[in-house]
Amino acid sequence: MTDEINSALKVLKQGGIILYPTDTVWGIGCDATNYEAVEKVFKLKQRTESKAMICLVNDFKMLNQYIEDVPEVAYDILKYAAKPTTIIYDRPLRVAENLIPKDNTLAIRVVRKGFANALVKKLRRPIVSTSANISGQPTPKSFKEISEDILKGVDYVVNLQNVKSASKPSAIIKLSNDGAVEVIRK
């Protein structure tokens, strides 16, 4: 796995996009601080910039570096969540402008183990994580369901096709700084 982390890291640092196993499904990713790389992901997915994408961080310290004010309840939700949980936060910081929708929010998931965790930890910046499909198409449940367009459209495919992922997207919760909580996806 170390070789794959190093190969993916090299591509990310050069502004490329990768196909990689996350803690949920196979994802298309890039350095979340690189505007041009984020553009490539939107283009490959044929997705408008008004549709937000998720970022992965590897711990609470990194989360706090990219969100102006993390609501206290977020830590409890993440600590006790039974499955991978993405939280949409107000007022993101230090990420590519094209990742931030008009409502000035950002969806972030803390990944605690596996390839994605190790990769984020080594990059020391958030990584974009969006499902490995063209917008509007079903989310692939395994590597073999990923379309040829996606496979050919990324700069690097992480060679861990046998890694078992959860095969389901994460739960998504929106936490506003005014205290409002909204479950977007269970």
Side-chain angles (χ1 to χ4, degrees):
M1 187 157 80
T2 302
D3 289 344
E4 288 304 313
I5 289 168
N6 291 333
S7 296
L9 195 61
K10 183 178 176 187
V11 172
L12 292 173
K13 286 182 174 180
Q14 294 172 344
I17 61 175
I18 63 170
L19 180 64
Y20 69 112
T22 74
D23 56 334
T24 56
V25 296
W26 274 78
I28 299 168
C30 70
D31 176 347
T33 66
N34 184 318
Y35 187 96
E36 290 80 21
V38 172
E39 275 297 306
K40 290 180 189 176
V41 174
F42 277 119
K43 187 176 180 190
L44 176 59
K45 284 195 59 96
Q46 300 172 23
R47 187 175 192 159
T48 62
E49 283 187 22
S50 63
K51 272 205 81 157
M53 292 191 285
I54 294 170
C55 292
L56 302 180
V57 298
N58 70 314
D59 59 21
F60 290 150
K61 182 180 177 190
M62 187 182 285
L63 172 65
N64 282 293
Q65 292 173 337
Y66 292 93
I67 298 298
E68 188 176 304
D69 184 26
V70 176
E72 280 300 313
V73 69
Y75 301 111
D76 290 333
I77 290 170
L78 294 172
K79 189 175 176 181
Y80 298 109
K83 68 182 219 171
T85 302
T86 300
I87 296 181
I88 302 170
Y89 300 93
D90 289 339
R91 299 193 304 273
L93 305 165
R94 300 179 195 88
V95 294
E97 287 178 25
N98 51 347
L99 262 183
I100 304 171
K102 287 184 169 107
D103 67 355
N104 197 27
T105 61
L106 184 63
I108 296 181
R109 185 165 71 251
V110 179
V111 287
R112 292 190 167 90
K113 59 185 178 188
F115 179 84
N117 170 278
L119 185 60
V120 171
K121 192 174 196 173
K122 223 159 174 196
L123 182 64
R124 292 198 199 114
R125 292 190 292 276
I127 296 176
V128 166
S129 177
T130 182
S131 57
N133 60 307
I134 304 295
S135 281
Q137 300 293 319
T139 299
K141 289 182 177 27
S142 66
F143 181 84
K144 63 180 180 264
E145 291 181 20
I146 298 170
S147 78
E148 203 61 32
D149 290 341
I150 297 294
L151 292 169
K152 289 180 179 172
V154 297
D155 298 306
Y156 184 70
V157 177
V158 171
N159 189 18
L160 295 172
Q161 290 85 348
N162 296 328
V163 169
K164 181 74 176 115
S165 63
S167 77
K168 288 183 184 172
S170 67
I172 300 178
I173 298 170
K174 185 170 195 231
L175 290 182
S176 299
N177 285 356
D178 65 5
V181 178
E182 179 184 357
V183 176
I184 308 290
R185 181 172 65 203
K186 289 184 179 187

